[in-house]
Amino acid sequence: MSLWQSIADQLRGEIARGKWPPGTRLPPESDLAARFGVNRHTVRHATRVLADEGLLYSRRGAGVFVAASPVDYPLSERVRFHRNIALSGKVPGRIIDTVVTRPSGDAEAAALRLEPGALVHVCEGVSLVDFKPVALFRSIYPADLLPDLPVMLRREESVTRALAASGVEDYKRLSTRITARIADAVQAAKLQIEPGDALLRTEGLSRWQDRMVERALTWWAAERVTLTLPHPEV
Amino acid sequence: MSLWQSIADQLRGEIARGKWPPGTRLPPESDLAARFGVNRHTVRHATRVLADEGLLYSRRGAGVFVAASPVDYPLSERVRFHRNIALSGKVPGRIIDTVVTRPSGDAEAAALRLEPGALVHVCEGVSLVDFKPVALFRSIYPADLLPDLPVMLRREESVTRALAASGVEDYKRLSTRITARIADAVQAAKLQIEPGDALLRTEGLSRWQDRMVERALTWWAAERVTLTLPHPEV
């Protein structure tokens, strides 16, 4: 086994045993090089491999940090935040910032298959796992189909329940698009991360009977969440 | 329709008609505010919505840019880079940097269900679409199952063909994990993006018969690729 592999395995073990808790900054390369009796190039090779595995991440100009063991969030046909998080043994939560009813813009109307300018409800806020923010959301609903949804969103603890209370049960995810962005100052403040940190952005479209019922934009703090695709068993 | 929506729709139309080609920096907020006869807050609201839709993206300290219309890359049970890209009417390509045969590290052995230290082939390089880099890859294969894969990887133009030439046909994706990271200097140089730009990171595990046949780590330039999940039709 090469030198960098044995150093990577050793650091991996120390992270697993909690010597370096999530969020800790790793000692500088020169310190690690001295500790292991190797040159900095070898240390960098080892930490780069651990970063590739997702155990470490770098912040520009600030060094290398131990990643929090991220929440696995399965993307399936029925995407339900509260149930997904509860199933992983954690506490789901939600803070709604705004619920606004307004005319749709062109892109919103096109996604929901509405006439341009048709009324939509727009719900924005923060999703929590174990009382920590993990994602920002902006979800858009056709107002004609769900006239009383604003009240239900405020009253019920999850979107699934609010939709059920408005008569929409068993809606299904039709498509999901995934990309990445960096956090701006506003997003970073709301997510309690740093501006410039990585965000996963998902755009989901859900259907109920013959209508598009939800367009959900979500910005996930990438250091806290891993999206998973469970492909069907062979 | 509110002021910011009409400005957003107008800018969206101009982007669609090619007035602002991909990669262009949008004029400063103050210029746009003067042009539309509104205050900067309204302009910011409009550009933020377009950024949320993925049409614009910001670079820290450098301003707001028009995003290239990204390649849609479907994540399905059979993930095949060359075929996926060719099906979208673009030219797939690949540059292999290194093909190395070496003992596996702990994480690699665990993922491929090998004894720790068992030999693996590691293939690293850059994936291209229309001759532009879109992703970095590091793919790992069990050497005992595929003794002649290094030669096949160098000889054949795609991984799928190299695996077929080594006797592995119709392998299937078992799981995919997706997160986001920011690009470091090395990654940025290889992908021709800027350090600090967003990367999508995927980790795929594929099976053939009763063996794990590939662990594929990929770092996608987020401004050039959107991963898509086509959920089954209802």
Side-chain angles (χ1 to χ4, degrees), chain A residues 58 96 190 211 226:
Chain A
S58 44
I96 290 182
K190 289 187 178 177
R211 290 290 301 270
T226 299

Side-chain angles (χ1 to χ4, degrees), chain A residues 19-36:
Chain A
K19 175 169 175 182
W20 312 101
T24 314
R25 186 168 126 187
L26 223 58
E29 273 174 9
S30 50
D31 292 16
L32 291 173
R35 177 186 155 194
F36 291 112

